[in-house]
Amino acid sequence: MVVKIKTKVYLLFASLMLIGILNFFLLTEVEKISEQDYELVLHTHTVIRHGEELLGQVRDAETGQRGYLLTGDQKYLDPFFSGVKNSENELSTLMYLTMDNQSQQQRLLRIDKLVKEKILELNSTIELYKLGKIDKSIKLVTSNYGKTLMDEIRIEMSDFQNEEQSLLQKRRKIYSDRRVAIHYTFMLESLVFILSLIIILWYVNRSMLAPLSKLTESARSYRFNEDFNPVHISGEDEISELGAAFNLMGERVTQSRDALVDDNQKTLTKLDDALYEATTDTLTGLKNRRFLLEEAKLQIAACQRYKHDLSIIMLDVDHFKRINDNYGHASGDEVLRILGHYVRDNIRSSDLGIRYGGEEFLILLPYTSLESAVMMAEDLRKTVESMVFNVLDGHSITISLGVAQLKKDEKALDTLIMRADKALYQSKGCGRNRVTVSEHDELSSVRSIVADEFQI
């Protein structure tokens, strides 16, 4: 049977309410019983007090009788009459208070009889005295009859009081034991309530809070670490269903994310491949003119901002049409491939080799002065001249080169290439296989050092 969380919460709340109500009623009942025990103790005290009062009233009546007989003064009859009347009242009260005690009732009946006989004896002496029969009155007083009655009354009252004292002790002990029981009951109920609360909290933590904490930790881990950790929640309530749905959702999201990442990586790879194909010459492995146009803008901007040199070398294979005609276009392509690979593998990482078109190549040289560019161009010319090409039956080739440097106020690549291209054609016009510097660039020091070699 599947119990919903809402039902669980209601049941737990009802359990706490039931435990609290049971504790309240139990304590109320025990306290009520304790109050009844206390009232019995007070009742016994009241009985004892009225017993003492009864004996005192009888003694007052006897004292009044003796005072009157000794003095003849009527004022001594007041305590007598008061004692007689009050003793009757006390007996009635005691009979009422001890209705639940049969033995005390029997004893009170005997006491009532003795008290009446004692009062009758006292009243007889007073009447004889009033009639002038003083001798008879004194004789009755001096007899042991009145004393015997009073002694019997004292004995009965003593037994009555002793039984009440014994009953008082028992009731006090019961009341004391009840208070101790209430104390321990309260402690036990408190312990049961606390234990119940602990059990309920443990159950709430195990069935609700702990699973929710697992879900939160897994969600936080997925949020910050991008790693999905499935949660394992036992049970068949809504939280377990939530955990299963969370795991399924996490797996689907992870799969979708991985698929997106994979698709994105494939797309990036395709874009990189497309970009590489769009900006790279497949024959030589060098970048093409399209890439040059974008990269040159950045290089020229950096050159203008940071005040460094920028030079270019343009080169062309001499008599390339003759190579194609004599050895075929495939051999011509192989010559271009070998030449392009050599340029790519021997320039600096900061330099940029470009197949500008056909048999023309361009080398972009940032952070390079005109003098250094001329040196690099001449080294390249000599190296190519010394290379042997198997596809040309062991013959070599020559190249013509033009060098130009970016001027301080020059911001366009076109004019720079135009000057280098013009210098290249000057090399071809002057017999090929040589390096020519653009006539617009100042290179007096280089001219003086390598004029003969470069044929400038």
Side-chain angles (χ1 to χ4, degrees):
M1 178 180 178
V2 179
V3 181
K4 296 183 177 181
I5 294 178
K6 183 178 180 181
T7 304
K8 289 182 180 180
V9 172
Y10 285 159
L11 289 175
L12 292 175
F13 180 76
S15 300
L16 285 177
M17 289 290 294
L18 181 61
I19 293 172
I21 292 172
L22 289 176
N23 286 344
F24 173 76
F25 278 107
L26 181 59
L27 285 175
T28 302
E29 287 299 317
V30 173
E31 190 66 30
K32 184 178 179 181
I33 295 173
S34 176
E35 289 179 359
Q36 292 175 353
D37 293 337
Y38 182 68
E39 290 177 356
L40 288 176
V41 172
L42 293 179
H43 176 80
T44 306
H45 275 291
T46 303
V47 172
I48 292 173
R49 179 172 57 80
H50 281 285
E52 293 174 350
E53 188 67 23
L54 172 61
L55 187 59
Q57 293 298 330
V58 174
R59 283 198 298 264
D60 288 346
E62 186 179 39
T63 300
Q65 175 254 1
R66 289 180 180 180
Y68 175 72
L69 293 179
L70 291 175
T71 64
D73 191 349
Q74 291 288 332
K75 68 179 182 179
Y76 285 104
L77 291 180
D78 292 338
F80 170 76
F81 291 120
S82 176
V84 171
K85 181 180 179 181
N86 291 332
S87 62
E88 291 176 357
N89 294 333
E90 293 297 334
L91 276 168
S92 298
T93 303
L94 288 172
M95 289 296 292
Y96 173 78
L97 292 174
T98 58
M99 285 189 301
D100 59 339
N101 192 330
Q102 191 63 35
S103 64
Q104 291 291 70
Q105 289 272 299
Q106 294 295 327
R107 188 171 283 115
L108 285 174
L109 290 175
R110 293 194 299 271
I111 292 172
D112 182 51
K113 181 180 179 182
L114 291 172
V115 169
K116 288 179 179 179
E117 290 179 5
K118 177 62 178 175
I119 291 174
L120 181 61
E121 181 264 334
L122 294 174
N123 190 56
S124 297
T125 59
I126 293 173
E127 291 299 326
L128 288 172
Y129 189 88
K130 287 181 178 180
L131 294 173
K133 300 177 181 181
I134 299 174
D135 293 338
K136 288 184 178 182
S137 176
I138 293 174
K139 183 179 179 180
L140 183 58
V141 171
T142 56
S143 68
N144 289 329
Y145 179 68
K147 181 178 181 300
T148 301
L149 288 174
M150 196 64 191
D151 289 342
E152 290 180 0
I153 291 173
R154 287 190 179 95
I155 292 172
E156 289 292 340
M157 285 302 304
S158 177
D159 292 342
F160 180 86
Q161 295 292 67
N162 288 337
E163 183 170 341
E164 289 297 325
Q165 287 290 345
S166 177
L167 186 60
L168 178 63
Q169 291 180 358
K170 290 180 181 179
R171 287 176 174 176
R172 279 180 174 174
K173 187 176 185 306
I174 291 173
Y175 175 72
S176 177
D177 292 343
R178 193 83 67 187
R179 297 308 299 178
V180 173
I182 291 174
H183 175 72
Y184 284 111
T185 301
F186 177 76
M187 292 180 60
L188 180 61
E189 288 184 345
S190 299
L191 183 62
V192 169
F193 183 80
I194 293 173
L195 184 61
S196 301
L197 186 61
I198 292 174
I199 293 174
I200 289 174
L201 290 176
W202 171 81
Y203 180 77
V204 169
N205 180 70
R206 185 182 70 86
S207 62
M208 296 184 221
L209 300 182
L212 290 176
S213 178
K214 288 181 179 179
L215 288 171
T216 303
E217 289 297 326
S218 180
R220 185 179 292 114
S221 175
Y222 185 63
R223 175 186 176 187
F224 292 107
N225 301 328
E226 297 184 356
D227 293 328
F228 176 70
N229 298 319
V231 294
H232 303 285
I233 301 175
S234 59
E236 297 180 355
D237 54 15
E238 294 96 324
I239 296 181
S240 62
E241 293 179 2
L242 179 62
F246 178 79
N247 290 338
L248 180 60
M249 179 183 66
E251 291 175 359
R252 289 181 177 177
V253 170
T254 301
Q255 291 173 358
S256 299
R257 183 197 65 186
D258 293 342
L260 286 174
V261 171
D262 187 57
D263 291 343
N264 185 55
Q265 187 62 40
K266 290 179 179 178
T267 302
L268 290 176
T269 301
K270 290 180 179 179
L271 288 175
D272 291 341
D273 292 343
L275 180 63
Y276 179 81
E277 291 176 0
T279 60
T280 304
D281 177 59
T282 56
L283 178 63
T284 62
L286 297 175
K287 294 299 181 181
N288 58 22
R289 183 183 296 188
R290 177 184 297 175
F291 185 84
L292 172 66
L293 296 177
E294 296 298 327
E295 183 65 20
K297 293 179 182 179
L298 300 177
Q299 294 292 346
I300 291 174
C303 176
Q304 297 291 343
R305 177 180 297 178
Y306 300 109
K307 311 293 183 185
H308 63 72
D309 296 327
L310 177 67
S311 301
I312 64 170
I313 301 173
M314 288 197 70
L315 62 97
D316 182 274
V317 179
D318 295 334
H319 303 296
F320 185 72
K321 184 177 182 304
R322 188 182 301 172
I323 294 174
N324 284 334
D325 293 340
N326 295 334
Y327 297 97
H329 288 282
S331 298
D333 288 344
E334 181 64 16
V335 169
L336 295 178
R337 187 188 68 81
I338 294 173
L339 182 58
H341 285 194
Y342 177 81
V343 170
R344 184 190 63 188
D345 296 337
N346 289 275
I347 61 176
R348 301 171 303 182
S349 59
S350 59
D351 299 337
L352 180 63
I354 301 293
R355 183 183 180 187
Y356 196 69
E359 67 275 16
E360 285 187 326
F361 295 86
L362 185 147
I363 303 174
L364 188 66
L365 303 168
Y367 303 97
T368 305
S369 64
L370 186 60
E371 292 85 348
S372 298
V374 171
M375 296 289 188
M376 293 175 64
E378 180 60 21
D379 290 339
L380 179 60
R381 184 193 67 77
K382 290 179 178 179
T383 302
V384 172
E385 186 181 20
S386 62
M387 294 173 64
V388 175
F389 293 87
N390 294 328
V391 294
L392 302 180
D393 298 332
H395 293 92
S396 61
I397 64 172
T398 61
I399 57 176
S400 298
L401 305 97
V403 182
Q405 183 182 33
L406 185 70
K407 295 182 179 181
K408 292 181 180 181
D409 57 348
E410 196 170 26
K411 297 182 179 181
L413 179 66
D414 294 342
T415 56
L416 179 62
I417 294 177
M418 188 181 299
R419 289 190 286 109
D421 189 56
K422 187 175 181 180
L424 168 63
Y425 278 94
Q426 287 179 359
S427 294
K428 286 184 174 292
C430 293
R432 295 182 173 83
N433 191 23
R434 65 185 62 213
V435 177
T436 303
V437 179
S438 171
E439 62 183 10
H440 298 285
D441 293 301
E442 296 181 359
L443 196 58
S444 57
S445 60
V446 175
R447 288 175 185 274
S448 61
I449 295 173
V450 294
D452 295 335
E453 185 176 6
F454 288 0
Q455 300 180 12
I456 299 176

